Amino acid sequence: MQERRWGATVVVVFATLAWTAMGAKLSRCTALPRDGGDGVGCLSWRVAVETGNLRGWRTVPRRCVRYVERYMVGGEYQRELEAVVEQIYRYMEGVVVSGDDRDAWVLDVDDTCLSNLRYYQGKRFGGEPFDPTGFRRWAERRACPAIPPMLRLVRDLVKKGFKVFLLTGRDSESLGRTTAENLHTQGFVGYERLVMRGAEYRGKSAAVFKTEARRQLVREGYRIWGNVGDQWTDLLGDHPGDRTFKLPNPMYFVP
Amino acid sequence: MQERRWGATVVVVFATLAWTAMGAKLSRCTALPRDGGDGVGCLSWRVAVETGNLRGWRTVPRRCVRYVERYMVGGEYQRELEAVVEQIYRYMEGVVVSGDDRDAWVLDVDDTCLSNLRYYQGKRFGGEPFDPTGFRRWAERRACPAIPPMLRLVRDLVKKGFKVFLLTGRDSESLGRTTAENLHTQGFVGYERLVMRGAEYRGKSAAVFKTEARRQLVREGYRIWGNVGDQWTDLLGDHPGDRTFKLPNPMYFVP
């Protein structure tokens, strides 16, 4: 297996030709629209975002801004989010809750429990770079609406006996009270704990902070069954949970 | 946070109405085509598969068979796969290889290095359930073509000094020689090791087998930088690698 062959380049070229020819030969139908009509490859871009293959991006590519807008407000986002929640229910209904109060779920807050869609509408749906001051001002208004399928899920998780942990990268000191009040007003009650970013994690990756927070839960004896977030940084790292669920969000990437 | 309110149901109903109204209010454009024209929600179904939200499915839903065929052979699959490989290169080029021969990559084989598209064409692109005998017969023909962007990647990884491990759920005893020959014929040379499923992992989940195999690599002192596969069972579990990359595959799910 260690040998190298002078002809390997030829093999690559040949394989590329065969691959292209296979595509052409198998194709008995017109090509799929790549992005709903505007921009090039925006659907592929979105799938790359949703699978976590594409990371560290700062804004929606200019050619895809209209595409993302249509996705977010044309009904597709809501339908796709509802489809994920349906999968969450299927899984959740199969979990047997033990009586020891240690069966836990972890849920992110922004664009998982609470929607920032209205805010991002003013930011060209992610076409503009993240504006920390603007976002803090928006969050301080306590006006983020609940995402209804997620509100229903939280209530049903609590009803079923799970301990629900809301784990957010929002800064505890500046947005702690605001966030708790916003959640309360929107009907998020009965959850176990709101875990926010402390001063020691300022400037660190959300994945690092969230991994540590989950490690702490596991140390306390919790079994994390499900973990739901709109960012891969919610779901990656140690103790991700027995099942992770990625909610759609093509508007921004949280490092 | 622990209180329950009698009005919570009212809040859910209100939030649902607000959510629906928001969608309607924000919508200034026609809805996206949901699936390229045939079937209902097939794009959402595919995104659910690609994000790992949907697991344990046995066949492509009947309504989405034509959609998956068009995706696979209409050019979209190839473009999307190439876009993932582009992301892999961007990441790979930023990794500094140390001189100790312990910088590793892990790659799956089926529909990651070698393509089974021709085989699945005869199985209605996943519209029929997995046929172990049929698949073994196909694999024994040693006729799986390379996926060219992945062949190029393997060659470039080796050239850059990474140790490349090909990790496959194929059974070592029955398909060991066949698979090694198929890889060789297709130009996959210079990789470090082909790791196949041993008898002790027969009937176990690919995630379990692959996690153990990666644990062994880490025990040997390897640092897994990248991990590439078309199945989430390639990428989940312990020691997933510094970055994981999910290649598209809407044709089948490996448990």
Side-chain angles (χ1 to χ4, degrees), chain A residues 61-115:
Chain A
R62 189 184 301 184
R63 69 179 196 283
C64 296
V65 165
R66 277 278 294 160
Y67 169 82
V68 170
E69 175 180 354
R70 290 173 64 172
Y71 171 79
M72 290 305 297
V73 303
E76 192 70 11
Y77 165 67
Q78 292 181 346
R79 279 193 298 270
E80 223 159 71
L81 191 139
E82 280 156 16
V84 181
V85 175
E86 199 184 310
Q87 292 302 320
I88 297 176
Y89 269 87
R90 280 194 200 179
Y91 167 69
M92 182 258 273
E93 282 159 5
V95 177
V96 179
V97 178
S98 72
D100 66 359
D101 282 347
R102 283 295 177 271
D103 294 299
W105 278 67
V106 174
L107 284 79
D108 171 53
V109 173
D110 283 298
D111 293 301
T112 297
C113 291
L114 299 177
S115 173

Tab-separated table of all heavy atoms in Angstrom, chain A residues 61-115:
chain	number	residue	atom	x	y	z
A	61	PRO	N	-22.890	35.183	1.721
A	61	PRO	CA	-22.287	35.704	0.474
A	61	PRO	C	-23.284	36.633	-0.232
A	61	PRO	O	-24.478	36.356	-0.237
A	61	PRO	CB	-22.071	34.438	-0.368
A	61	PRO	CG	-22.103	33.297	0.581
A	61	PRO	CD	-22.947	33.714	1.734
A	62	ARG	N	-22.766	37.702	-0.781
A	62	ARG	CA	-23.642	38.721	-1.365
A	62	ARG	C	-24.650	38.118	-2.361
A	62	ARG	O	-25.817	38.468	-2.358
A	62	ARG	CB	-22.791	39.797	-2.052
A	62	ARG	CG	-23.631	41.002	-2.504
A	62	ARG	CD	-22.817	42.017	-3.254
A	62	ARG	NE	-21.711	42.502	-2.413
A	62	ARG	CZ	-20.871	43.452	-2.789
A	62	ARG	NH1	-20.992	44.017	-3.979
A	62	ARG	NH2	-19.900	43.825	-1.997
A	63	ARG	N	-24.172	37.172	-3.185
A	63	ARG	CA	-25.055	36.598	-4.206
A	63	ARG	C	-26.199	35.783	-3.583
A	63	ARG	O	-27.172	35.465	-4.265
A	63	ARG	CB	-24.255	35.709	-5.169
A	63	ARG	CG	-23.752	34.430	-4.518
A	63	ARG	CD	-22.975	33.536	-5.469
A	63	ARG	NE	-22.849	32.185	-4.921
A	63	ARG	CZ	-22.008	31.825	-3.960
A	63	ARG	NH1	-21.182	32.726	-3.443
A	63	ARG	NH2	-21.992	30.595	-3.496
A	64	CYS	N	-26.069	35.416	-2.284
A	64	CYS	CA	-27.080	34.565	-1.655
A	64	CYS	C	-27.996	35.309	-0.686
A	64	CYS	O	-28.844	34.697	-0.042
A	64	CYS	CB	-26.407	33.396	-0.936
A	64	CYS	SG	-25.525	32.284	-2.058
A	65	VAL	N	-27.853	36.630	-0.599
A	65	VAL	CA	-28.666	37.380	0.369
A	65	VAL	C	-30.158	37.252	0.044
A	65	VAL	O	-30.976	36.966	0.924
A	65	VAL	CB	-28.218	38.868	0.409
A	65	VAL	CG1	-29.259	39.730	1.118
A	65	VAL	CG2	-26.871	38.989	1.120
A	66	ARG	N	-30.515	37.421	-1.226
A	66	ARG	CA	-31.926	37.310	-1.612
A	66	ARG	C	-32.424	35.880	-1.387
A	66	ARG	O	-33.557	35.661	-0.957
A	66	ARG	CB	-32.108	37.683	-3.100
A	66	ARG	CG	-32.218	39.167	-3.331
A	66	ARG	CD	-33.633	39.692	-3.087
A	66	ARG	NE	-34.608	39.181	-4.052
A	66	ARG	CZ	-35.915	39.174	-3.849
A	66	ARG	NH1	-36.414	39.616	-2.712
A	66	ARG	NH2	-36.735	38.684	-4.771
A	67	TYR	N	-31.574	34.927	-1.687
A	67	TYR	CA	-31.924	33.514	-1.487
A	67	TYR	C	-32.227	33.243	-0.018
A	67	TYR	O	-33.223	32.616	0.328
A	67	TYR	CB	-30.785	32.625	-1.992
A	67	TYR	CG	-30.936	31.175	-1.591
A	67	TYR	CD1	-31.759	30.325	-2.323
A	67	TYR	CD2	-30.283	30.670	-0.468
A	67	TYR	CE1	-31.920	29.005	-1.950
A	67	TYR	CE2	-30.436	29.355	-0.088
A	67	TYR	CZ	-31.250	28.523	-0.832
A	67	TYR	OH	-31.422	27.214	-0.443
A	68	VAL	N	-31.364	33.728	0.873
A	68	VAL	CA	-31.559	33.493	2.309
A	68	VAL	C	-32.836	34.187	2.778
A	68	VAL	O	-33.611	33.631	3.556
A	68	VAL	CB	-30.321	33.946	3.118
A	68	VAL	CG1	-30.605	33.948	4.613
A	68	VAL	CG2	-29.134	33.026	2.819
A	69	GLU	N	-33.071	35.406	2.274
A	69	GLU	CA	-34.305	36.113	2.634
A	69	GLU	C	-35.524	35.270	2.250
A	69	GLU	O	-36.437	35.071	3.054
A	69	GLU	CB	-34.369	37.469	1.926
A	69	GLU	CG	-35.693	38.182	2.173
A	69	GLU	CD	-35.795	39.533	1.498
A	69	GLU	OE1	-34.792	40.001	0.920
A	69	GLU	OE2	-36.893	40.128	1.569
A	70	ARG	N	-35.513	34.767	1.032
A	70	ARG	CA	-36.654	33.970	0.572
A	70	ARG	C	-36.797	32.706	1.399
A	70	ARG	O	-37.904	32.264	1.702
A	70	ARG	CB	-36.489	33.629	-0.916
A	70	ARG	CG	-36.651	34.846	-1.800
A	70	ARG	CD	-36.313	34.550	-3.245
A	70	ARG	NE	-37.220	33.574	-3.835
A	70	ARG	CZ	-37.231	33.275	-5.124
A	70	ARG	NH1	-36.382	33.866	-5.949
A	70	ARG	NH2	-38.074	32.383	-5.590
A	71	TYR	N	-35.656	32.107	1.727
A	71	TYR	CA	-35.700	30.899	2.548
A	71	TYR	C	-36.299	31.202	3.917
A	71	TYR	O	-37.157	30.477	4.422
A	71	TYR	CB	-34.283	30.332	2.707
A	71	TYR	CG	-34.211	29.210	3.710
A	71	TYR	CD1	-34.621	27.924	3.366
A	71	TYR	CD2	-33.781	29.445	5.016
A	71	TYR	CE1	-34.580	26.892	4.294
A	71	TYR	CE2	-33.735	28.418	5.949
A	71	TYR	CZ	-34.141	27.145	5.579
A	71	TYR	OH	-34.114	26.142	6.507
A	72	MET	N	-35.869	32.298	4.519
A	72	MET	CA	-36.272	32.605	5.903
A	72	MET	C	-37.732	33.038	5.995
A	72	MET	O	-38.390	32.735	6.979
A	72	MET	CB	-35.368	33.706	6.483
A	72	MET	CG	-33.932	33.276	6.768
A	72	MET	SD	-33.763	31.813	7.846
A	72	MET	CE	-34.490	32.386	9.397
A	73	VAL	N	-38.205	33.792	5.005
A	73	VAL	CA	-39.548	34.348	5.154
A	73	VAL	C	-40.560	33.757	4.175
A	73	VAL	O	-41.738	34.078	4.245
A	73	VAL	CB	-39.544	35.900	5.036
A	73	VAL	CG1	-38.609	36.501	6.065
A	73	VAL	CG2	-39.159	36.346	3.635
A	74	GLY	N	-40.108	32.893	3.291
A	74	GLY	CA	-41.021	32.324	2.307
A	74	GLY	C	-41.709	31.052	2.781
A	74	GLY	O	-42.449	30.435	2.016
A	75	GLY	N	-41.446	30.633	4.015
A	75	GLY	CA	-42.125	29.444	4.539
A	75	GLY	C	-41.216	28.238	4.684
A	75	GLY	O	-41.482	27.336	5.477
A	76	GLU	N	-40.130	28.224	3.905
A	76	GLU	CA	-39.245	27.053	3.896
A	76	GLU	C	-38.553	26.870	5.256
A	76	GLU	O	-38.449	25.760	5.773
A	76	GLU	CB	-38.193	27.236	2.791
A	76	GLU	CG	-37.384	26.001	2.457
A	76	GLU	CD	-38.190	24.929	1.755
A	76	GLU	OE1	-39.328	25.186	1.328
A	76	GLU	OE2	-37.670	23.801	1.653
A	77	TYR	N	-38.096	27.958	5.818
A	77	TYR	CA	-37.424	27.893	7.130
A	77	TYR	C	-38.354	27.306	8.178
A	77	TYR	O	-37.988	26.388	8.918
A	77	TYR	CB	-36.981	29.296	7.535
A	77	TYR	CG	-36.608	29.435	9.000
A	77	TYR	CD1	-35.490	28.795	9.522
A	77	TYR	CD2	-37.397	30.201	9.866
A	77	TYR	CE1	-35.153	28.917	10.872
A	77	TYR	CE2	-37.071	30.330	11.215
A	77	TYR	CZ	-35.955	29.687	11.700
A	77	TYR	OH	-35.629	29.801	13.036
A	78	GLN	N	-39.564	27.810	8.226
A	78	GLN	CA	-40.509	27.310	9.227
A	78	GLN	C	-40.808	25.835	9.010
A	78	GLN	O	-40.816	25.047	9.958
A	78	GLN	CB	-41.807	28.130	9.191
A	78	GLN	CG	-41.595	29.571	9.666
A	78	GLN	CD	-42.869	30.407	9.668
A	78	GLN	OE1	-43.876	30.009	9.080
A	78	GLN	NE2	-42.822	31.553	10.316
A	79	ARG	N	-41.016	25.454	7.752
A	79	ARG	CA	-41.315	24.040	7.472
A	79	ARG	C	-40.142	23.157	7.852
A	79	ARG	O	-40.318	22.083	8.416
A	79	ARG	CB	-41.640	23.843	5.984
A	79	ARG	CG	-43.062	24.215	5.622
A	79	ARG	CD	-43.417	23.712	4.227
A	79	ARG	NE	-42.585	24.314	3.192
A	79	ARG	CZ	-42.891	25.441	2.553
A	79	ARG	NH1	-44.007	26.084	2.825
A	79	ARG	NH2	-42.091	25.927	1.627
A	80	GLU	N	-38.940	23.609	7.541
A	80	GLU	CA	-37.772	22.780	7.826
A	80	GLU	C	-37.552	22.669	9.337
A	80	GLU	O	-37.232	21.596	9.848
A	80	GLU	CB	-36.536	23.372	7.138
A	80	GLU	CG	-35.710	22.298	6.491
A	80	GLU	CD	-34.798	22.828	5.402
A	80	GLU	OE1	-33.830	23.516	5.742
A	80	GLU	OE2	-35.046	22.537	4.215
A	81	LEU	N	-37.756	23.772	10.027
A	81	LEU	CA	-37.621	23.744	11.488
A	81	LEU	C	-38.659	22.792	12.092
A	81	LEU	O	-38.347	21.985	12.970
A	81	LEU	CB	-37.771	25.157	12.041
A	81	LEU	CG	-37.398	25.311	13.517
A	81	LEU	CD1	-36.632	26.610	13.734
A	81	LEU	CD2	-38.597	25.263	14.424
A	82	GLU	N	-39.883	22.879	11.579
A	82	GLU	CA	-40.925	21.985	12.097
A	82	GLU	C	-40.594	20.515	11.828
A	82	GLU	O	-40.892	19.642	12.645
A	82	GLU	CB	-42.288	22.354	11.493
A	82	GLU	CG	-42.897	23.557	12.214
A	82	GLU	CD	-43.901	24.332	11.367
A	82	GLU	OE1	-44.364	23.788	10.341
A	82	GLU	OE2	-44.204	25.495	11.734
A	83	ALA	N	-39.968	20.268	10.681
A	83	ALA	CA	-39.580	18.879	10.364
A	83	ALA	C	-38.528	18.374	11.350
A	83	ALA	O	-38.553	17.210	11.761
A	83	ALA	CB	-39.054	18.794	8.935
A	84	VAL	N	-37.599	19.255	11.756
A	84	VAL	CA	-36.600	18.839	12.746
A	84	VAL	C	-37.292	18.541	14.075
A	84	VAL	O	-37.027	17.522	14.720
A	84	VAL	CB	-35.506	19.918	12.945
A	84	VAL	CG1	-34.481	19.443	13.967
A	84	VAL	CG2	-34.817	20.246	11.627
A	85	VAL	N	-38.205	19.417	14.474
A	85	VAL	CA	-38.896	19.221	15.757
A	85	VAL	C	-39.690	17.915	15.733
A	85	VAL	O	-39.764	17.204	16.737
A	85	VAL	CB	-39.783	20.438	16.095
A	85	VAL	CG1	-40.597	20.188	17.359
A	85	VAL	CG2	-38.916	21.684	16.281
A	86	GLU	N	-40.231	17.579	14.578
A	86	GLU	CA	-40.938	16.297	14.450
A	86	GLU	C	-39.980	15.133	14.746
A	86	GLU	O	-40.325	14.184	15.435
A	86	GLU	CB	-41.487	16.179	13.031
A	86	GLU	CG	-42.592	15.150	12.886
A	86	GLU	CD	-43.018	15.018	11.425
A	86	GLU	OE1	-43.286	16.063	10.789
A	86	GLU	OE2	-43.043	13.876	10.925
A	87	GLN	N	-38.758	15.242	14.214
A	87	GLN	CA	-37.751	14.200	14.488
A	87	GLN	C	-37.391	14.161	15.974
A	87	GLN	O	-37.187	13.097	16.550
A	87	GLN	CB	-36.476	14.439	13.676
A	87	GLN	CG	-36.646	14.237	12.179
A	87	GLN	CD	-37.140	12.828	11.857
A	87	GLN	OE1	-36.709	11.858	12.466
A	87	GLN	NE2	-38.075	12.725	10.930
A	88	ILE	N	-37.324	15.339	16.585
A	88	ILE	CA	-37.006	15.404	18.014
A	88	ILE	C	-38.078	14.663	18.806
A	88	ILE	O	-37.774	13.870	19.689
A	88	ILE	CB	-36.899	16.874	18.492
A	88	ILE	CG1	-35.753	17.590	17.769
A	88	ILE	CG2	-36.698	16.927	20.011
A	88	ILE	CD1	-35.627	19.073	18.099
A	89	TYR	N	-39.347	14.911	18.448
A	89	TYR	CA	-40.438	14.232	19.152
A	89	TYR	C	-40.342	12.728	18.990
A	89	TYR	O	-40.531	11.982	19.936
A	89	TYR	CB	-41.798	14.736	18.644
A	89	TYR	CG	-42.310	15.914	19.461
A	89	TYR	CD1	-41.939	17.211	19.147
A	89	TYR	CD2	-43.145	15.720	20.557
A	89	TYR	CE1	-42.395	18.293	19.894
A	89	TYR	CE2	-43.609	16.789	21.313
A	89	TYR	CZ	-43.233	18.077	20.978
A	89	TYR	OH	-43.677	19.132	21.734
A	90	ARG	N	-40.064	12.262	17.773
A	90	ARG	CA	-39.966	10.807	17.533
A	90	ARG	C	-38.922	10.189	18.443
A	90	ARG	O	-39.103	9.118	18.996
A	90	ARG	CB	-39.579	10.520	16.091
A	90	ARG	CG	-40.759	10.633	15.181
A	90	ARG	CD	-40.464	10.035	13.821
A	90	ARG	NE	-41.424	10.588	12.885
A	90	ARG	CZ	-41.475	10.313	11.607
A	90	ARG	NH1	-40.599	9.482	11.086
A	90	ARG	NH2	-42.378	10.847	10.831
A	91	TYR	N	-37.786	10.871	18.546
A	91	TYR	CA	-36.716	10.363	19.397
A	91	TYR	C	-37.119	10.461	20.868
A	91	TYR	O	-37.012	9.489	21.625
A	91	TYR	CB	-35.433	11.150	19.136
A	91	TYR	CG	-34.372	10.915	20.184
A	91	TYR	CD1	-33.737	9.681	20.293
A	91	TYR	CD2	-34.032	11.916	21.083
A	91	TYR	CE1	-32.778	9.462	21.279
A	91	TYR	CE2	-33.077	11.702	22.054
A	91	TYR	CZ	-32.462	10.470	22.151
A	91	TYR	OH	-31.526	10.254	23.122
A	92	MET	N	-37.580	11.620	21.261
A	92	MET	CA	-37.921	11.901	22.663
A	92	MET	C	-38.963	10.912	23.173
A	92	MET	O	-38.867	10.421	24.309
A	92	MET	CB	-38.441	13.338	22.734
A	92	MET	CG	-38.798	13.814	24.120
A	92	MET	SD	-40.589	13.779	24.398
A	92	MET	CE	-41.066	15.397	23.760
A	93	GLU	N	-39.940	10.597	22.330
A	93	GLU	CA	-41.010	9.700	22.775
A	93	GLU	C	-40.509	8.281	23.047
A	93	GLU	O	-41.147	7.520	23.765
A	93	GLU	CB	-42.162	9.714	21.758
A	93	GLU	CG	-43.015	10.982	21.929
A	93	GLU	CD	-43.839	11.347	20.699
A	93	GLU	OE1	-43.818	10.557	19.718
A	93	GLU	OE2	-44.477	12.416	20.712
A	94	GLY	N	-39.345	7.948	22.480
A	94	GLY	CA	-38.787	6.621	22.720
A	94	GLY	C	-37.888	6.534	23.948
A	94	GLY	O	-37.439	5.450	24.309
A	95	VAL	N	-37.615	7.676	24.564
A	95	VAL	CA	-36.734	7.659	25.737
A	95	VAL	C	-37.560	7.406	26.995
A	95	VAL	O	-38.570	8.077	27.223
A	95	VAL	CB	-35.974	9.010	25.882
A	95	VAL	CG1	-35.112	9.014	27.148
A	95	VAL	CG2	-35.117	9.267	24.656
A	96	VAL	N	-37.135	6.431	27.783
A	96	VAL	CA	-37.827	6.140	29.042
A	96	VAL	C	-37.165	6.963	30.150
A	96	VAL	O	-35.966	6.827	30.410
A	96	VAL	CB	-37.757	4.634	29.372
A	96	VAL	CG1	-38.453	4.354	30.710
A	96	VAL	CG2	-38.380	3.816	28.249
A	97	VAL	N	-37.949	7.832	30.763
A	97	VAL	CA	-37.427	8.696	31.828
A	97	VAL	C	-37.371	7.894	33.122
A	97	VAL	O	-38.366	7.307	33.539
A	97	VAL	CB	-38.331	9.934	32.003
A	97	VAL	CG1	-37.830	10.818	33.135
A	97	VAL	CG2	-38.406	10.707	30.701
A	98	SER	N	-36.196	7.851	33.720
A	98	SER	CA	-36.070	7.153	35.006
A	98	SER	C	-36.582	8.082	36.111
A	98	SER	O	-36.875	9.244	35.865
A	98	SER	CB	-34.613	6.783	35.259
A	98	SER	OG	-33.898	7.948	35.570
A	99	GLY	N	-36.670	7.578	37.299
A	99	GLY	CA	-37.266	8.396	38.362
A	99	GLY	C	-36.272	9.236	39.147
A	99	GLY	O	-36.644	9.859	40.140
A	100	ASP	N	-35.021	9.315	38.668
A	100	ASP	CA	-34.015	9.955	39.522
A	100	ASP	C	-33.741	11.420	39.194
A	100	ASP	O	-32.788	12.012	39.712
A	100	ASP	CB	-32.701	9.149	39.485
A	100	ASP	CG	-32.052	9.190	38.095
A	100	ASP	OD1	-32.630	9.813	37.168
A	100	ASP	OD2	-30.972	8.601	37.917
A	101	ASP	N	-34.569	12.018	38.355
A	101	ASP	CA	-34.426	13.447	38.022
A	101	ASP	C	-33.083	13.781	37.382
A	101	ASP	O	-32.574	14.896	37.561
A	101	ASP	CB	-34.614	14.319	39.277
A	101	ASP	CG	-36.092	14.451	39.621
A	101	ASP	OD1	-36.940	14.088	38.785
A	101	ASP	OD2	-36.399	14.897	40.748
A	102	ARG	N	-32.481	12.862	36.690
A	102	ARG	CA	-31.196	13.126	36.068
A	102	ARG	C	-31.233	12.982	34.540
A	102	ARG	O	-30.204	12.974	33.876
A	102	ARG	CB	-30.112	12.198	36.653
A	102	ARG	CG	-29.631	12.631	38.052
A	102	ARG	CD	-28.926	13.983	37.973
A	102	ARG	NE	-28.493	14.525	39.238
A	102	ARG	CZ	-29.223	15.312	40.039
A	102	ARG	NH1	-30.471	15.607	39.707
A	102	ARG	NH2	-28.720	15.789	41.158
A	103	ASP	N	-32.433	12.850	33.985
A	103	ASP	CA	-32.573	12.778	32.522
A	103	ASP	C	-32.696	14.196	31.984
A	103	ASP	O	-33.663	14.893	32.279
A	103	ASP	CB	-33.802	11.941	32.159
A	103	ASP	CG	-33.618	10.492	32.574
A	103	ASP	OD1	-32.675	9.860	32.058
A	103	ASP	OD2	-34.377	10.012	33.427
A	104	ALA	N	-31.708	14.598	31.211
A	104	ALA	CA	-31.627	16.008	30.843
A	104	ALA	C	-31.662	16.247	29.332
A	104	ALA	O	-31.318	15.369	28.537
A	104	ALA	CB	-30.332	16.597	31.411
A	105	TRP	N	-32.113	17.416	28.972
A	105	TRP	CA	-31.991	17.939	27.611
A	105	TRP	C	-31.298	19.298	27.680
A	105	TRP	O	-31.502	20.048	28.641
A	105	TRP	CB	-33.367	18.117	26.956
A	105	TRP	CG	-33.901	16.841	26.387
A	105	TRP	CD1	-34.286	15.731	27.086
A	105	TRP	CD2	-34.110	16.540	24.994
A	105	TRP	NE1	-34.722	14.756	26.220
A	105	TRP	CE2	-34.632	15.221	24.938
A	105	TRP	CE3	-33.915	17.247	23.808
A	105	TRP	CZ2	-34.941	14.609	23.721
A	105	TRP	CZ3	-34.238	16.634	22.603
A	105	TRP	CH2	-34.739	15.322	22.566
A	106	VAL	N	-30.516	19.580	26.667
A	106	VAL	CA	-29.841	20.873	26.577
A	106	VAL	C	-30.346	21.581	25.327
A	106	VAL	O	-30.350	21.005	24.234
A	106	VAL	CB	-28.305	20.686	26.495
A	106	VAL	CG1	-27.614	22.011	26.244
A	106	VAL	CG2	-27.780	20.053	27.785
A	107	LEU	N	-30.773	22.820	25.509
A	107	LEU	CA	-31.259	23.605	24.372
A	107	LEU	C	-30.579	24.970	24.360
A	107	LEU	O	-30.417	25.604	25.407
A	107	LEU	CB	-32.779	23.824	24.458
A	107	LEU	CG	-33.673	22.657	24.091
A	107	LEU	CD1	-33.751	21.653	25.236
A	107	LEU	CD2	-35.072	23.131	23.759
A	108	ASP	N	-30.216	25.387	23.186
A	108	ASP	CA	-29.685	26.727	22.988
A	108	ASP	C	-30.839	27.732	23.077
A	108	ASP	O	-32.010	27.342	23.053
A	108	ASP	CB	-29.014	26.776	21.604
A	108	ASP	CG	-28.616	28.174	21.201
A	108	ASP	OD1	-27.927	28.836	21.987
A	108	ASP	OD2	-29.018	28.617	20.100
A	109	VAL	N	-30.526	29.020	23.168
A	109	VAL	CA	-31.588	30.031	23.275
A	109	VAL	C	-31.824	30.759	21.942
A	109	VAL	O	-32.889	30.643	21.337
A	109	VAL	CB	-31.294	31.040	24.414
A	109	VAL	CG1	-32.315	32.182	24.399
A	109	VAL	CG2	-31.319	30.315	25.766
A	110	ASP	N	-30.801	31.512	21.469
A	110	ASP	CA	-31.031	32.368	20.295
A	110	ASP	C	-31.270	31.569	19.025
A	110	ASP	O	-30.441	30.749	18.625
A	110	ASP	CB	-29.838	33.318	20.103
A	110	ASP	CG	-29.898	34.470	21.090
A	110	ASP	OD1	-30.879	35.234	21.031
A	110	ASP	OD2	-28.991	34.567	21.940
A	111	ASP	N	-32.399	31.819	18.414
A	111	ASP	CA	-32.816	31.124	17.191
A	111	ASP	C	-32.949	29.618	17.395
A	111	ASP	O	-32.899	28.842	16.433
A	111	ASP	CB	-31.931	31.515	16.013
A	111	ASP	CG	-32.166	32.981	15.666
A	111	ASP	OD1	-33.317	33.322	15.362
A	111	ASP	OD2	-31.245	33.803	15.785
A	112	THR	N	-33.136	29.261	18.663
A	112	THR	CA	-33.526	27.887	19.001
A	112	THR	C	-34.816	27.973	19.820
A	112	THR	O	-35.841	27.452	19.407
A	112	THR	CB	-32.399	27.168	19.765
A	112	THR	OG1	-31.264	27.073	18.901
A	112	THR	CG2	-32.828	25.770	20.197
A	113	CYS	N	-34.763	28.684	20.951
A	113	CYS	CA	-35.999	28.937	21.710
A	113	CYS	C	-36.618	30.276	21.316
A	113	CYS	O	-37.820	30.386	21.122
A	113	CYS	CB	-35.709	28.920	23.212
A	113	CYS	SG	-35.286	27.277	23.826
A	114	LEU	N	-35.791	31.284	21.212
A	114	LEU	CA	-36.256	32.638	20.860
A	114	LEU	C	-35.790	33.000	19.453
A	114	LEU	O	-34.675	32.657	19.062
A	114	LEU	CB	-35.688	33.663	21.854
A	114	LEU	CG	-36.069	33.499	23.334
A	114	LEU	CD1	-35.344	34.558	24.180
A	114	LEU	CD2	-37.577	33.592	23.537
A	115	SER	N	-36.648	33.692	18.742
A	115	SER	CA	-36.323	34.055	17.360
A	115	SER	C	-35.733	35.459	17.253
A	115	SER	O	-36.261	36.414	17.836
A	115	SER	CB	-37.591	33.989	16.507
A	115	SER	OG	-37.310	34.495	15.218
